[in-house]
Amino acid sequence: MCTKMTEFNEIQDLWNLQNQSQLNLDSADLIAKSEKNTKILRRNHYGTLAIISVTTLILVYYFFWVNAHHMNGLTLGLSIMIVMLISRIVLELNSAQKLKAIHPDLTVLEYTGKVKTFYQWRKKIHFIFTPIIYISYFIGFTLLLPSFKASFSAGFYLYCLISGYGFFFVFGYFLIQQIKKEMQILEILNRVK
């Protein structure tokens, strides 16, 4: 009984220390943390933009390299993939601009409100636009497969099939993890009154 009471007191002391340390944060610390988080988020946006832009350039190059401008499954598949990636680029550029407009030197309430609005925008992107883009891109890739099968050796076609669909599932997993992180941030922000 005495041991349990001692453990409880130790836990209570740790809890009290945690609350005191959070209360001792001054505005400079809050601004520094918000600037750090904003830089990380901005870096993630630009990284995403870079990856999507490079992929788009590769697809456009491939489109013209294989003379895909003749209307067929290859044209349709590549066109869908390119349009979806360009759509995602536009959304990410828009998000980057919205993020850039949030200045960490605002009052805590103003800053929190703007960040909350930003993450509500990101929620719309993640739950409306991302599934449409992801599924359309998947369909575009699937439309390429008959052309790949006719043009490539069986081994290379199998490689394209496995790596292409494998990429979708691995990328999908990381995308879901990123969405969960952003939604957790929005959940925390929604608790702030």
Side-chain angles (χ1 to χ4, degrees):
M1 178 84 172
C2 190
T3 323
K4 288 183 181 179
M5 191 60 162
T6 306
E7 289 175 8
F8 175 77
N9 288 337
E10 290 173 6
I11 292 171
Q12 184 66 40
D13 290 341
L14 286 173
W15 181 261
N16 291 337
L17 285 174
Q18 174 189 354
N19 289 340
Q20 289 173 355
S21 66
Q22 287 177 349
L23 292 175
N24 290 334
L25 287 176
D26 64 357
S27 60
D29 290 336
L30 289 173
I31 290 172
K33 283 184 180 190
S34 66
E35 285 176 345
K36 180 183 172 189
N37 289 337
T38 303
K39 283 180 185 177
I40 291 170
L41 193 55
R42 194 172 289 136
R43 186 175 61 226
N44 289 343
H45 276 294
Y46 291 127
T48 300
L49 278 169
I51 291 168
I52 295 171
S53 297
V54 167
T55 305
T56 303
L57 290 174
I58 290 169
L59 288 175
V60 169
Y61 173 78
Y62 185 73
F63 184 87
F64 288 107
W65 183 64
V66 297
N67 290 324
H69 53 284
H70 307 301
M71 196 56 182
N72 57 24
L74 181 67
T75 305
L76 186 60
L78 280 172
S79 297
I80 290 171
M81 292 170 72
I82 291 167
V83 167
M84 290 302 108
L85 287 174
I86 291 171
S87 300
R88 186 62 189 211
I89 290 170
V90 168
L91 288 171
E92 289 299 324
L93 284 172
N94 192 321
S95 287
Q97 288 300 320
K98 287 180 183 288
L99 180 63
K100 195 175 188 178
I102 300 172
H103 300 287
D105 57 350
L106 298 169
T107 67
V108 174
L109 289 177
E110 289 175 322
Y111 180 79
T112 303
K114 288 188 180 268
V115 171
K116 193 185 299 185
T117 302
F118 172 78
Y119 278 108
Q120 287 167 341
W121 162 249
R122 294 293 296 171
K123 184 177 182 179
K124 287 178 188 172
I125 289 175
H126 292 317
F127 291 107
I128 297 171
F129 299 114
T130 298
I132 292 169
I133 291 169
Y134 194 75
I135 290 168
S136 299
Y137 191 86
F138 187 84
I139 290 168
F141 177 75
T142 302
L143 289 172
L144 294 178
L145 293 178
S147 296
F148 285 178
K149 190 172 190 174
S151 301
F152 302 137
S153 68
F156 190 69
Y157 171 75
L158 186 61
Y159 166 76
C160 290
L161 189 69
I162 292 170
S163 65
Y165 286 127
F167 168 78
F168 283 115
F169 292 115
V170 171
F171 180 75
Y173 171 78
F174 286 113
L175 184 62
I176 289 168
Q177 297 306 313
Q178 181 63 33
I179 291 171
K180 283 181 181 178
K181 285 180 190 176
E182 288 190 20
M183 292 308 100
Q184 286 172 348
I185 292 170
L186 180 59
E187 188 178 314
I188 291 167
L189 289 169
N190 282 334
R191 288 187 216 148
V192 176
K193 302 284 181 188

